[in-house]
Amino acid sequence: MRVFAALAVLMASPIAVPAQAQKQAEVQPKFSTPAKAAQVLEANVADRAPPPPITDKENLWLLDLSTGGRVTIWLRPDVAPKMVERIKTLTRRHFYDGLTFHRVIDGFMAQGGDPKGDGTGGSDLPNVPAEFNYLPHVRGSVAAARADDPNSANSQFYIVFQPRFALDKKYTVFGRVIDGMQYVDAIERGEPPANPSKIVHAYVAADNPPAYVPLAPAPAPSLGAPVTLPGAAAKPAPARRPAPKAAPAKKAATATK
């Protein structure tokens, strides 16, 4: 099953973390710019591949959500090249369009990318091997969901609401939200949600996608034709009164000579 089963195994850690880890989770980093927000660790470490520029459209993943706006995710092929390539491939196949966030835990994460909508589905492509890396599970981190097998990631992913450092190096973090996090915060909660939020469209920014278009409001339900209750006599239609005769037209006023 491609359900987020491993998280269930680790439920004691992410949900009831030790006091020290919980204290760490409550401390959220503050950033002055989106670029600083995305660069969670320094890149000038020996033997570490440099991240792509934050302006590189080939590595910007756009999710138009039913919650009211577009989310921009900075992809990190420098640490998770296989998962990033999978995301791009499926996005360009329109795989994610219309899929729901089927498992959303308040204060933790929103999980989506399952065509079945129950956590057991994936794409027709082979699973992606684990690419565990140094990127931490901070607010806005995007990681690959998987089952117990570390090499079982496929199409599902999750976006972190609050830091969960207990998951670091156990799941493949492959990106970070750099714009539109408010639309992630608005995703309907539940396991599954009663009215799940959707990915309306997913794009790679390099493909010149159209501007975000809000979903049209759902039409009001039709109440149908008027109904007469049993035993109630129908009221006769009121008689029409004859139209009053028009008054004779007055002569137009003329200027005095």
PDB file of all heavy atoms in Angstrom, residues 157-180:
ATOM      1  N   PHE A 157       2.833  13.112  -1.975  1.00  0.00           N
ATOM      2  CA  PHE A 157       3.715  14.052  -1.300  1.00  0.00           C
ATOM      3  C   PHE A 157       2.962  14.681  -0.130  1.00  0.00           C
ATOM      4  O   PHE A 157       1.742  14.548  -0.007  1.00  0.00           O
ATOM      5  CB  PHE A 157       4.184  15.147  -2.272  1.00  0.00           C
ATOM      6  CG  PHE A 157       3.065  16.039  -2.761  1.00  0.00           C
ATOM      7  CD1 PHE A 157       2.781  17.238  -2.123  1.00  0.00           C
ATOM      8  CD2 PHE A 157       2.283  15.666  -3.849  1.00  0.00           C
ATOM      9  CE1 PHE A 157       1.741  18.054  -2.557  1.00  0.00           C
ATOM     10  CE2 PHE A 157       1.244  16.470  -4.294  1.00  0.00           C
ATOM     11  CZ  PHE A 157       0.971  17.671  -3.642  1.00  0.00           C
ATOM     12  N   TYR A 158       3.696  15.360   0.717  1.00  0.00           N
ATOM     13  CA  TYR A 158       3.048  16.090   1.803  1.00  0.00           C
ATOM     14  C   TYR A 158       3.760  17.414   2.027  1.00  0.00           C
ATOM     15  O   TYR A 158       4.947  17.567   1.750  1.00  0.00           O
ATOM     16  CB  TYR A 158       2.992  15.267   3.097  1.00  0.00           C
ATOM     17  CG  TYR A 158       4.328  14.820   3.649  1.00  0.00           C
ATOM     18  CD1 TYR A 158       4.978  15.546   4.652  1.00  0.00           C
ATOM     19  CD2 TYR A 158       4.941  13.654   3.197  1.00  0.00           C
ATOM     20  CE1 TYR A 158       6.193  15.126   5.169  1.00  0.00           C
ATOM     21  CE2 TYR A 158       6.159  13.228   3.717  1.00  0.00           C
ATOM     22  CZ  TYR A 158       6.782  13.973   4.708  1.00  0.00           C
ATOM     23  OH  TYR A 158       7.987  13.558   5.218  1.00  0.00           O
ATOM     24  N   ILE A 159       2.989  18.399   2.517  1.00  0.00           N
ATOM     25  CA  ILE A 159       3.502  19.732   2.821  1.00  0.00           C
ATOM     26  C   ILE A 159       3.370  19.933   4.324  1.00  0.00           C
ATOM     27  O   ILE A 159       2.304  19.720   4.897  1.00  0.00           O
ATOM     28  CB  ILE A 159       2.732  20.821   2.059  1.00  0.00           C
ATOM     29  CG1 ILE A 159       2.733  20.536   0.543  1.00  0.00           C
ATOM     30  CG2 ILE A 159       3.324  22.196   2.334  1.00  0.00           C
ATOM     31  CD1 ILE A 159       1.891  21.505  -0.268  1.00  0.00           C
ATOM     32  N   VAL A 160       4.449  20.347   4.952  1.00  0.00           N
ATOM     33  CA  VAL A 160       4.507  20.439   6.413  1.00  0.00           C
ATOM     34  C   VAL A 160       3.943  21.774   6.897  1.00  0.00           C
ATOM     35  O   VAL A 160       4.329  22.838   6.411  1.00  0.00           O
ATOM     36  CB  VAL A 160       5.969  20.276   6.889  1.00  0.00           C
ATOM     37  CG1 VAL A 160       6.058  20.384   8.407  1.00  0.00           C
ATOM     38  CG2 VAL A 160       6.529  18.937   6.417  1.00  0.00           C
ATOM     39  N   PHE A 161       3.010  21.698   7.865  1.00  0.00           N
ATOM     40  CA  PHE A 161       2.465  22.908   8.487  1.00  0.00           C
ATOM     41  C   PHE A 161       3.417  23.458   9.558  1.00  0.00           C
ATOM     42  O   PHE A 161       3.639  24.659   9.643  1.00  0.00           O
ATOM     43  CB  PHE A 161       1.115  22.616   9.158  1.00  0.00           C
ATOM     44  CG  PHE A 161      -0.003  22.315   8.212  1.00  0.00           C
ATOM     45  CD1 PHE A 161      -0.799  21.201   8.401  1.00  0.00           C
ATOM     46  CD2 PHE A 161      -0.282  23.148   7.138  1.00  0.00           C
ATOM     47  CE1 PHE A 161      -1.844  20.918   7.550  1.00  0.00           C
ATOM     48  CE2 PHE A 161      -1.326  22.877   6.277  1.00  0.00           C
ATOM     49  CZ  PHE A 161      -2.111  21.753   6.481  1.00  0.00           C
ATOM     50  N   GLN A 162       3.913  22.577  10.404  1.00  0.00           N
ATOM     51  CA  GLN A 162       4.784  22.949  11.509  1.00  0.00           C
ATOM     52  C   GLN A 162       5.994  22.012  11.525  1.00  0.00           C
ATOM     53  O   GLN A 162       5.916  20.887  11.049  1.00  0.00           O
ATOM     54  CB  GLN A 162       4.036  22.852  12.846  1.00  0.00           C
ATOM     55  CG  GLN A 162       2.800  23.747  12.953  1.00  0.00           C
ATOM     56  CD  GLN A 162       3.138  25.232  12.934  1.00  0.00           C
ATOM     57  OE1 GLN A 162       4.278  25.612  13.179  1.00  0.00           O
ATOM     58  NE2 GLN A 162       2.164  26.074  12.622  1.00  0.00           N
ATOM     59  N   PRO A 163       7.125  22.466  12.071  1.00  0.00           N
ATOM     60  CA  PRO A 163       8.335  21.639  12.067  1.00  0.00           C
ATOM     61  C   PRO A 163       8.120  20.258  12.678  1.00  0.00           C
ATOM     62  O   PRO A 163       7.455  20.119  13.706  1.00  0.00           O
ATOM     63  CB  PRO A 163       9.318  22.457  12.912  1.00  0.00           C
ATOM     64  CG  PRO A 163       8.861  23.871  12.756  1.00  0.00           C
ATOM     65  CD  PRO A 163       7.367  23.800  12.678  1.00  0.00           C
ATOM     66  N   ARG A 164       8.689  19.234  12.023  1.00  0.00           N
ATOM     67  CA  ARG A 164       8.641  17.847  12.513  1.00  0.00           C
ATOM     68  C   ARG A 164      10.016  17.218  12.302  1.00  0.00           C
ATOM     69  O   ARG A 164      10.225  16.398  11.421  1.00  0.00           O
ATOM     70  CB  ARG A 164       7.569  17.051  11.753  1.00  0.00           C
ATOM     71  CG  ARG A 164       6.160  17.440  12.118  1.00  0.00           C
ATOM     72  CD  ARG A 164       5.783  16.874  13.473  1.00  0.00           C
ATOM     73  NE  ARG A 164       4.503  17.416  13.918  1.00  0.00           N
ATOM     74  CZ  ARG A 164       3.748  16.861  14.855  1.00  0.00           C
ATOM     75  NH1 ARG A 164       4.163  15.767  15.457  1.00  0.00           N
ATOM     76  NH2 ARG A 164       2.612  17.411  15.206  1.00  0.00           N
ATOM     77  N   PHE A 165      10.955  17.608  13.128  1.00  0.00           N
ATOM     78  CA  PHE A 165      12.336  17.180  12.932  1.00  0.00           C
ATOM     79  C   PHE A 165      12.527  15.684  13.164  1.00  0.00           C
ATOM     80  O   PHE A 165      13.532  15.116  12.739  1.00  0.00           O
ATOM     81  CB  PHE A 165      13.259  17.990  13.838  1.00  0.00           C
ATOM     82  CG  PHE A 165      13.176  19.479  13.597  1.00  0.00           C
ATOM     83  CD1 PHE A 165      12.952  20.362  14.645  1.00  0.00           C
ATOM     84  CD2 PHE A 165      13.290  19.996  12.312  1.00  0.00           C
ATOM     85  CE1 PHE A 165      12.869  21.727  14.411  1.00  0.00           C
ATOM     86  CE2 PHE A 165      13.210  21.357  12.070  1.00  0.00           C
ATOM     87  CZ  PHE A 165      12.992  22.229  13.135  1.00  0.00           C
ATOM     88  N   ALA A 166      11.573  15.026  13.818  1.00  0.00           N
ATOM     89  CA  ALA A 166      11.673  13.584  14.024  1.00  0.00           C
ATOM     90  C   ALA A 166      11.622  12.821  12.714  1.00  0.00           C
ATOM     91  O   ALA A 166      12.023  11.649  12.652  1.00  0.00           O
ATOM     92  CB  ALA A 166      10.557  13.105  14.949  1.00  0.00           C
ATOM     93  N   LEU A 167      11.136  13.451  11.650  1.00  0.00           N
ATOM     94  CA  LEU A 167      11.034  12.793  10.346  1.00  0.00           C
ATOM     95  C   LEU A 167      12.262  13.025   9.469  1.00  0.00           C
ATOM     96  O   LEU A 167      12.351  12.439   8.383  1.00  0.00           O
ATOM     97  CB  LEU A 167       9.785  13.291   9.604  1.00  0.00           C
ATOM     98  CG  LEU A 167       8.450  13.092  10.324  1.00  0.00           C
ATOM     99  CD1 LEU A 167       7.314  13.619   9.464  1.00  0.00           C
ATOM    100  CD2 LEU A 167       8.239  11.635  10.667  1.00  0.00           C
ATOM    101  N   ASP A 168      13.183  13.878   9.916  1.00  0.00           N
ATOM    102  CA  ASP A 168      14.364  14.176   9.114  1.00  0.00           C
ATOM    103  C   ASP A 168      15.145  12.899   8.798  1.00  0.00           C
ATOM    104  O   ASP A 168      15.332  12.026   9.656  1.00  0.00           O
ATOM    105  CB  ASP A 168      15.280  15.150   9.856  1.00  0.00           C
ATOM    106  CG  ASP A 168      14.693  16.549   9.929  1.00  0.00           C
ATOM    107  OD1 ASP A 168      13.605  16.764   9.370  1.00  0.00           O
ATOM    108  OD2 ASP A 168      15.323  17.424  10.560  1.00  0.00           O
ATOM    109  N   LYS A 169      15.590  12.807   7.538  1.00  0.00           N
ATOM    110  CA  LYS A 169      16.380  11.687   7.026  1.00  0.00           C
ATOM    111  C   LYS A 169      15.641  10.349   7.091  1.00  0.00           C
ATOM    112  O   LYS A 169      16.248   9.284   7.010  1.00  0.00           O
ATOM    113  CB  LYS A 169      17.724  11.588   7.762  1.00  0.00           C
ATOM    114  CG  LYS A 169      18.589  12.836   7.554  1.00  0.00           C
ATOM    115  CD  LYS A 169      19.947  12.707   8.188  1.00  0.00           C
ATOM    116  CE  LYS A 169      20.773  13.968   7.945  1.00  0.00           C
ATOM    117  NZ  LYS A 169      22.118  13.883   8.560  1.00  0.00           N
ATOM    118  N   LYS A 170      14.321  10.421   7.220  1.00  0.00           N
ATOM    119  CA  LYS A 170      13.468   9.227   7.117  1.00  0.00           C
ATOM    120  C   LYS A 170      12.532   9.327   5.910  1.00  0.00           C
ATOM    121  O   LYS A 170      11.941   8.331   5.496  1.00  0.00           O
ATOM    122  CB  LYS A 170      12.645   9.029   8.390  1.00  0.00           C
ATOM    123  CG  LYS A 170      13.471   8.803   9.654  1.00  0.00           C
ATOM    124  CD  LYS A 170      12.571   8.607  10.850  1.00  0.00           C
ATOM    125  CE  LYS A 170      13.367   8.312  12.121  1.00  0.00           C
ATOM    126  NZ  LYS A 170      14.093   9.491  12.605  1.00  0.00           N
ATOM    127  N   TYR A 171      12.379  10.532   5.388  1.00  0.00           N
ATOM    128  CA  TYR A 171      11.561  10.799   4.207  1.00  0.00           C
ATOM    129  C   TYR A 171      12.341  11.749   3.303  1.00  0.00           C
ATOM    130  O   TYR A 171      13.168  12.533   3.768  1.00  0.00           O
ATOM    131  CB  TYR A 171      10.207  11.414   4.605  1.00  0.00           C
ATOM    132  CG  TYR A 171       9.348  10.445   5.376  1.00  0.00           C
ATOM    133  CD1 TYR A 171       9.502  10.300   6.753  1.00  0.00           C
ATOM    134  CD2 TYR A 171       8.423   9.643   4.731  1.00  0.00           C
ATOM    135  CE1 TYR A 171       8.752   9.391   7.471  1.00  0.00           C
ATOM    136  CE2 TYR A 171       7.658   8.726   5.434  1.00  0.00           C
ATOM    137  CZ  TYR A 171       7.832   8.594   6.799  1.00  0.00           C
ATOM    138  OH  TYR A 171       7.083   7.684   7.502  1.00  0.00           O
ATOM    139  N   THR A 172      12.050  11.674   2.005  1.00  0.00           N
ATOM    140  CA  THR A 172      12.779  12.482   1.031  1.00  0.00           C
ATOM    141  C   THR A 172      12.168  13.871   0.931  1.00  0.00           C
ATOM    142  O   THR A 172      11.081  14.047   0.370  1.00  0.00           O
ATOM    143  CB  THR A 172      12.762  11.809  -0.357  1.00  0.00           C
ATOM    144  OG1 THR A 172      13.418  10.541  -0.275  1.00  0.00           O
ATOM    145  CG2 THR A 172      13.470  12.675  -1.390  1.00  0.00           C
ATOM    146  N   VAL A 173      12.839  14.869   1.477  1.00  0.00           N
ATOM    147  CA  VAL A 173      12.426  16.264   1.302  1.00  0.00           C
ATOM    148  C   VAL A 173      12.965  16.733  -0.043  1.00  0.00           C
ATOM    149  O   VAL A 173      14.165  16.640  -0.307  1.00  0.00           O
ATOM    150  CB  VAL A 173      12.962  17.150   2.443  1.00  0.00           C
ATOM    151  CG1 VAL A 173      12.548  18.603   2.220  1.00  0.00           C
ATOM    152  CG2 VAL A 173      12.463  16.649   3.795  1.00  0.00           C
ATOM    153  N   PHE A 174      12.070  17.223  -0.904  1.00  0.00           N
ATOM    154  CA  PHE A 174      12.510  17.606  -2.253  1.00  0.00           C
ATOM    155  C   PHE A 174      12.141  19.031  -2.631  1.00  0.00           C
ATOM    156  O   PHE A 174      12.358  19.456  -3.772  1.00  0.00           O
ATOM    157  CB  PHE A 174      11.951  16.635  -3.304  1.00  0.00           C
ATOM    158  CG  PHE A 174      10.451  16.622  -3.411  1.00  0.00           C
ATOM    159  CD1 PHE A 174       9.779  17.520  -4.237  1.00  0.00           C
ATOM    160  CD2 PHE A 174       9.696  15.696  -2.702  1.00  0.00           C
ATOM    161  CE1 PHE A 174       8.398  17.502  -4.355  1.00  0.00           C
ATOM    162  CE2 PHE A 174       8.308  15.668  -2.816  1.00  0.00           C
ATOM    163  CZ  PHE A 174       7.663  16.572  -3.638  1.00  0.00           C
ATOM    164  N   GLY A 175      11.588  19.801  -1.702  1.00  0.00           N
ATOM    165  CA  GLY A 175      11.230  21.173  -2.032  1.00  0.00           C
ATOM    166  C   GLY A 175      10.765  21.950  -0.824  1.00  0.00           C
ATOM    167  O   GLY A 175      10.717  21.433   0.297  1.00  0.00           O
ATOM    168  N   ARG A 176      10.420  23.211  -1.076  1.00  0.00           N
ATOM    169  CA  ARG A 176       9.968  24.108  -0.009  1.00  0.00           C
ATOM    170  C   ARG A 176       9.030  25.155  -0.600  1.00  0.00           C
ATOM    171  O   ARG A 176       9.288  25.717  -1.670  1.00  0.00           O
ATOM    172  CB  ARG A 176      11.173  24.798   0.634  1.00  0.00           C
ATOM    173  CG  ARG A 176      10.833  25.805   1.747  1.00  0.00           C
ATOM    174  CD  ARG A 176      10.872  25.168   3.097  1.00  0.00           C
ATOM    175  NE  ARG A 176      10.489  26.113   4.150  1.00  0.00           N
ATOM    176  CZ  ARG A 176      11.335  26.836   4.879  1.00  0.00           C
ATOM    177  NH1 ARG A 176      12.629  26.750   4.644  1.00  0.00           N
ATOM    178  NH2 ARG A 176      10.903  27.636   5.822  1.00  0.00           N
ATOM    179  N   VAL A 177       7.922  25.405   0.088  1.00  0.00           N
ATOM    180  CA  VAL A 177       6.997  26.462  -0.330  1.00  0.00           C
ATOM    181  C   VAL A 177       7.676  27.807  -0.127  1.00  0.00           C
ATOM    182  O   VAL A 177       8.149  28.113   0.976  1.00  0.00           O
ATOM    183  CB  VAL A 177       5.686  26.396   0.477  1.00  0.00           C
ATOM    184  CG1 VAL A 177       4.793  27.592   0.142  1.00  0.00           C
ATOM    185  CG2 VAL A 177       4.941  25.097   0.205  1.00  0.00           C
ATOM    186  N   ILE A 178       7.721  28.623  -1.182  1.00  0.00           N
ATOM    187  CA  ILE A 178       8.305  29.955  -1.067  1.00  0.00           C
ATOM    188  C   ILE A 178       7.270  31.052  -1.302  1.00  0.00           C
ATOM    189  O   ILE A 178       7.562  32.228  -1.101  1.00  0.00           O
ATOM    190  CB  ILE A 178       9.491  30.142  -2.037  1.00  0.00           C
ATOM    191  CG1 ILE A 178       9.061  29.937  -3.491  1.00  0.00           C
ATOM    192  CG2 ILE A 178      10.634  29.214  -1.663  1.00  0.00           C
ATOM    193  CD1 ILE A 178      10.147  30.271  -4.503  1.00  0.00           C
ATOM    194  N   ASP A 179       6.071  30.677  -1.712  1.00  0.00           N
ATOM    195  CA  ASP A 179       5.001  31.667  -1.879  1.00  0.00           C
ATOM    196  C   ASP A 179       3.658  30.940  -1.834  1.00  0.00           C
ATOM    197  O   ASP A 179       3.533  29.820  -2.327  1.00  0.00           O
ATOM    198  CB  ASP A 179       5.152  32.410  -3.214  1.00  0.00           C
ATOM    199  CG  ASP A 179       4.211  33.599  -3.312  1.00  0.00           C
ATOM    200  OD1 ASP A 179       4.113  34.375  -2.337  1.00  0.00           O
ATOM    201  OD2 ASP A 179       3.546  33.761  -4.353  1.00  0.00           O
ATOM    202  N   GLY A 180       2.666  31.596  -1.228  1.00  0.00           N
ATOM    203  CA  GLY A 180       1.319  31.031  -1.195  1.00  0.00           C
ATOM    204  C   GLY A 180       1.071  30.061  -0.056  1.00  0.00           C
ATOM    205  O   GLY A 180       0.116  29.280  -0.121  1.00  0.00           O
TER     206      GLY A 180
END
